[in-house]
């Protein structure tokens, strides 16, 4: 589907040879476009645009041609249309024809039609607004025929393409994002779909209250909230809550807004109170209570870990916070680690969970206070360690001085003992004594 930008010339199809008149006559015969034939028979009196208008009007019959002839016929028609003074007048109508699969080809028809659409897309200039409209038709076609895999390789390029099509306006961009999201969701790619719904929500002008509170904005916001709450992978909601149209749900959908706040920064006890206050509401909204209940427990576990300065949580505290028997704590600890909310390990012997890393669900005044408390705890611990180290240094220095003194004492004693031995009873000493005696005689 990818295309390169053309410059200074209209792109041409390969392997197409002949003048416009010759090729148009061939196309008119193939489509049985009698009016186009009559115009061509008049020679110079008929303009290209007049002929093309008749050919495009007759192109509906392409949906009934044999599948082996469709690609060649559709490529030739595209080639002719691109020679019009204003191809945009005909390309969207032509895409409408290609968007209808071949009646005679139930197996290969959708693929052939998609090839026709992508041919038009690839031959248009990269910044041409018509190219944007054609791409929207491609996404609709892909969604209608369950062909999401053909779109998957280009998902990362859509943002750059939309930047190129900035003249299309926010309404078009939003519509495209939503179509891509729906195609992804219907193909089972809920995470990808969720990301494109967020892109659509961000296209609403945050400074225009009428936009963020519009029916479309609130509909998409509610869709995003439901998806985030029920997702097995989404545990942090700050990004979602920062979107203005989602914030506006506090007026249009206050109960949903309250539920979102609970999952963003509150705990299991608040969720239980919510259910008591709005009994039966989850069932009415078709929200899976079991899934939500499990998620809020995991989030409660994460918040408990993040708020514990000592980085050790007793099993009894975890069991109380999660409202579970103590023997189930280890299973929930494994689940919260798998969810990516915590890193740590269990100490069965001591009955504690040792926190290595915790995820803050929100970071506001409360979290700053918790962080300050933890820093104070670390400072106190480090000061204690520093005091112990300094005392050990003093002890080590004193011990070393004692050892030096002891060594000097031993050396001194050894020196005194050696001198006495040389003056006294050694062989040399006796010989010197005899010599002195002999001399005295």
């Amino acid at each position: 589907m990818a295309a390169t930008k053309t410059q200074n010339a209209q792109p041409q199809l390969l392997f197409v040879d002949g003048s416009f008149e010759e090729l148009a006559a061939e196309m008119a015969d193939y489509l049985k476009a009698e009016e186009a034939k009559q115009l061509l028979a008049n020679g110079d009196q008929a303009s290209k645009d007049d002929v093309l208008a008749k050919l495009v009007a007759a192109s509906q019959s392409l949906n009934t041609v044999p599948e082996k002839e469709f690609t060649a016929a559709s490529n030739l028609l595209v080639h002719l249309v691109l020679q019009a003074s204003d191809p945009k007048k005909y390309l969207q109508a032509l895409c409408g024809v290609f968007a209808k699969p071949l009646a005679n080809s139930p197996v290969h028809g959708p693929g052939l039609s998609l090839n026709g659409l992508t041919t038009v897309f690839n031959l248009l200039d990269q910044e041409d607004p018509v190219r944007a409209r054609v791409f929207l038709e491609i996404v609709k076609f892909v969604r209608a025929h369950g062909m999401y895999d053909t779109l998957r390789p280009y998902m990362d390029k859509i943002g750059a393409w939309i930047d190129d099509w900035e003249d299309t306006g926010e309404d078009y961009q939003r519509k495209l994002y939503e179509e891509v999201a729906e195609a992804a969701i219907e193909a089972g790619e809920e995470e990808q779909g969720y990301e494109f719904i967020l892109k659509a929500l961000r296209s609403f002008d945050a400074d225009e209250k009428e936009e963020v509170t519009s029916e479309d904005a609130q509909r998409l916001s509610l869709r995003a909230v439901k998806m985030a709450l029920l997702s097995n992978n989404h545990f942090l909601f700050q990004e979602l809550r920062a979107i203005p149209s989602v914030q506006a749900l506090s007026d249009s959908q206050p109960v949903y807004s309250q539920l979102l706040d609970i999952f963003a920064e509150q705990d299991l006890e608040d969720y239980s109170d919510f259910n008591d206050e709005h009994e039966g509401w989850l069932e009415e909204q078709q929200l899976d209570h079991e899934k939500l209940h499990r998620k809020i427990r995991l989030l409660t576990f994460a918040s408990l870990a993040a708020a514990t300065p000592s980085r050790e949580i007793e099993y009894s505290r975890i069991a109380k916070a999660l409202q579970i028997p103590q023997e189930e704590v280890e299973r929930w600890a494994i689940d919260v680690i798998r969810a990516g909310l915590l890193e740590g390990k269990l100490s069965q012997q001591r009955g504690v969970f040792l926190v290595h890393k915790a995820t803050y669900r929100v970071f506001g005044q409360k979290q700053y206070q918790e962080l300050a408390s933890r820093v104070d705890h670390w400072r106190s611990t480090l000061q204690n360690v520093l005091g112990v180290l300094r005392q050990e240094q003093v002890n080590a220095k004193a011990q070393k001085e004692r050892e030096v003194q002891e060594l000097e004492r031993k050396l001194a004693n050894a020196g005194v003992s050696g001198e006495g031995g040389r003056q006294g009873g050694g062989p040399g000493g006796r010989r010197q004594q005899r010599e002195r005696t002999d001399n005295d005689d």
Side-chain angles (χ1 to χ4, degrees):
M1 190 182 296
T4 57
K5 184 175 180 180
T6 60
Q7 294 183 5
N8 303 325
Q10 191 65 258
Q12 299 293 319
L13 289 167
L14 298 177
F15 311 120
V16 176
D17 189 22
S19 67
F20 175 84
E21 290 73 16
E22 292 171 340
L23 297 173
E26 182 181 338
M27 195 77 243
D29 283 336
Y30 188 78
L31 296 175
K32 298 180 175 58
E34 298 301 327
E35 293 182 352
K37 288 182 183 180
Q38 291 176 5
L39 289 173
L40 288 166
N42 293 332
D44 295 338
Q45 296 181 13
S47 68
K48 286 184 179 181
D49 285 357
D50 291 337
V51 173
L52 286 171
K54 301 301 181 183
L55 290 176
V56 171
S59 64
Q60 298 290 339
S61 61
L62 281 176
N63 294 317
T64 61
V65 303
E67 65 177 39
K68 63 182 180 180
E69 300 175 5
F70 177 82
T71 299
S74 61
N75 283 353
L76 177 55
L77 190 52
V78 171
H79 171 76
L80 292 170
V81 165
L82 289 175
Q83 296 184 53
S85 59
D86 184 10
K88 302 173 186 176
K89 290 168 54 178
Y90 310 108
L91 283 175
Q92 283 193 287
L94 204 54
C95 288
V97 173
F98 293 159
K100 298 176 183 177
L102 274 68
N104 299 329
S105 181
V107 176
H108 302 293
L112 291 170
S113 295
L114 183 59
N115 286 342
L117 290 169
T118 55
T119 296
V120 176
F121 178 81
N122 288 336
L123 289 174
L124 288 168
D125 185 89
Q126 188 166 326
E127 297 179 359
D128 193 329
V130 176
R131 195 171 191 248
R133 304 294 175 183
V134 173
F135 185 70
L136 181 58
E137 292 300 322
I138 289 174
V139 175
K140 289 180 178 179
F141 186 90
V142 163
R143 180 185 172 193
H145 297 279
M147 302 173 71
Y148 179 75
D149 284 343
T150 62
L151 189 62
R152 195 188 306 272
Y154 307 101
M155 298 295 280
D156 292 339
K157 298 180 180 181
I158 293 175
W161 286 344
I162 287 181
D163 290 340
D164 290 335
W165 306 328
E166 57 183 4
D167 293 339
T168 55
E170 293 178 350
D171 288 342
Y172 162 79
Q173 295 175 14
R174 189 178 308 124
K175 188 173 183 180
L176 176 57
Y177 281 139
E178 190 172 359
E179 282 291 338
V180 172
E182 295 298 341
I185 293 168
E186 290 167 7
E189 298 285 347
E190 291 195 2
E191 291 302 307
Q192 189 82 74
Y194 176 76
E195 290 302 319
F196 273 88
I197 286 180
L198 293 189
K199 290 178 186 290
L201 287 174
R202 294 189 185 102
S203 69
F204 291 101
D205 189 344
D207 296 327
E208 294 291 337
K209 185 176 180 180
E210 290 184 0
E211 277 201 30
V212 298
T213 59
S214 66
E215 183 178 348
D216 278 347
Q218 294 302 282
R219 173 181 58 82
L220 281 174
S221 297
L222 194 57
R223 178 80 181 278
V225 169
K226 287 182 179 180
M227 290 184 70
L229 289 173
L230 295 174
S231 170
N232 293 324
N233 301 310
H234 282 283
F235 293 96
L236 303 178
F237 300 89
Q238 286 300 90
E239 181 184 16
L240 179 61
R241 290 207 304 171
I243 297 175
S245 60
V246 174
Q247 294 173 355
L249 288 175
S250 59
D251 294 325
S252 63
Q253 297 285 346
V255 182
Y256 268 106
S257 184
Q258 181 184 355
L259 184 62
L260 179 60
D261 289 342
I262 290 171
F263 277 82
E265 55 184 317
Q266 298 176 28
D267 56 25
L268 178 59
E269 185 176 351
D270 297 296
Y271 177 74
S272 299
D273 291 342
F274 173 89
N275 277 333
D276 292 340
E277 182 182 353
H278 304 285
E279 186 176 357
W281 182 84
L282 291 178
E283 290 76 10
E284 291 176 5
Q285 300 299 314
Q286 297 181 341
L287 294 173
D288 189 333
H289 167 68
E290 292 301 321
K291 184 176 286 189
L292 295 177
H293 196 239
R294 178 181 181 276
K295 177 178 279 192
I296 196 63
R297 273 180 167 161
L298 294 174
L299 292 170
T300 300
F301 199 149
S303 292
L304 179 63
T308 302
S310 67
R311 313 300 276 178
E312 293 185 1
I313 319 174
E314 298 84 0
Y315 281 15
S316 58
R317 288 184 61 203
I318 298 171
K320 181 179 179 181
L322 272 59
Q323 300 175 12
I324 57 172
Q326 192 161 320
E327 54 268 22
E328 294 184 12
V329 166
E330 292 179 2
R331 177 174 69 84
W332 282 96
I334 293 171
D335 287 346
V336 79
I337 291 172
R338 285 176 176 170
L341 292 169
L342 287 180
E343 291 181 13
K345 64 180 182 179
L346 294 160
S347 176
Q348 295 176 323
Q349 184 176 7
R350 296 173 56 200
V352 298
F353 180 80
L354 305 174
V355 182
H356 295 166
K357 182 180 179 181
T359 299
Y360 277 103
R361 294 159 62 191
V362 294
F363 208 89
Q365 183 64 32
K366 179 181 177 181
Q367 287 69 40
Y368 275 113
Q369 292 174 349
E370 290 174 356
L371 181 59
S373 174
R374 183 166 298 161
V375 169
D376 288 341
H377 176 77
W378 290 341
R379 183 187 295 113
S380 175
T381 301
L382 290 173
Q383 286 174 343
N384 291 336
V385 171
L386 183 59
V388 171
L389 290 175
R390 285 175 174 169
Q391 184 60 48
E392 287 298 319
Q393 284 180 327
V394 171
N395 294 341
K397 185 177 180 180
Q399 178 64 25
K400 187 174 181 179
E401 290 175 352
R402 287 194 296 270
E403 290 175 354
V404 170
Q405 292 173 358
E406 179 67 18
L407 180 59
E408 290 176 347
R409 184 184 65 78
K410 289 181 178 180
L411 289 173
N413 291 338
V416 171
S417 175
E419 290 176 3
R422 285 193 298 272
Q423 294 173 2
R430 288 193 297 270
R431 185 168 54 252
Q432 292 174 0
Q433 187 175 10
R434 285 196 301 271
E435 289 174 354
R436 286 196 295 272
T437 304
D438 291 342
N439 291 333
D440 291 341
D441 294 340

